[in-house]
Amino acid sequence: MRTSIALALSVLLCACAHAAPRLLGPPIKAEVDYSCRVDADCEIKDIGSCCGRQPACVNKDSPTFAERVREECAARHEEGVCGFPDVRGCSCVEGRCTNRVEGDDAAP
């Protein structure tokens, strides 16, 4: 039973590490574009969080609305779980820009 709970928790935490940040309330209306066809379509940008800076791989032409995210967090008096992965580069995986972090096998 403990193994099942630990496994489920680790899968959830792993999925959250690569997901787009969400506010505790409803998400902001503006959407960040994560779509890509090749790795060169992706770029590391600050997408913002309730802690401040949040680097992530997004479409190179997408606006990111980081300041709006921080403003909404402040207006709602919300805080996030601080910390973020050390994004080393981006890869286009199945049509979505994906963070390459330390320890990934992908070349920089």
Side-chain angles (χ1 to χ4, degrees):
M1 178 73 163
R2 285 185 188 181
T3 305
S4 299
I5 293 171
L7 179 60
L9 184 57
S10 66
V11 168
L12 177 63
L13 290 174
C14 182
C16 291
H18 292 287
R22 305 257 337 176
L23 302 175
L24 297 177
I28 61 174
K29 290 183 179 17
E31 291 291 324
V32 174
D33 181 7
Y34 293 89
S35 68
C36 59
R37 291 183 20 216
V38 295
D39 290 352
D41 291 340
C42 304
E43 183 175 285
I44 300 170
K45 293 186 177 186
D46 179 12
I47 59 174
S49 75
C50 289
C51 290
R53 185 174 172 270
Q54 177 72 36
C57 291
V58 302
N59 183 285
K60 66 182 178 183
D61 297 322
S62 179
T64 57
F65 316 103
E67 190 58 38
R68 189 181 316 167
V69 171
R70 287 187 283 274
E71 288 170 1
E72 288 191 21
C73 290
R76 294 181 185 152
H77 305 287
E78 295 178 355
E79 296 180 15
V81 176
C82 298
F84 49 83
D86 185 13
V87 180
R88 301 290 182 155
C90 300
S91 296
C92 182
V93 178
E94 297 178 2
R96 182 177 171 86
C97 293
T98 305
N99 297 345
R100 280 198 320 241
V101 295
E102 188 173 346
D104 282 354
D105 291 356

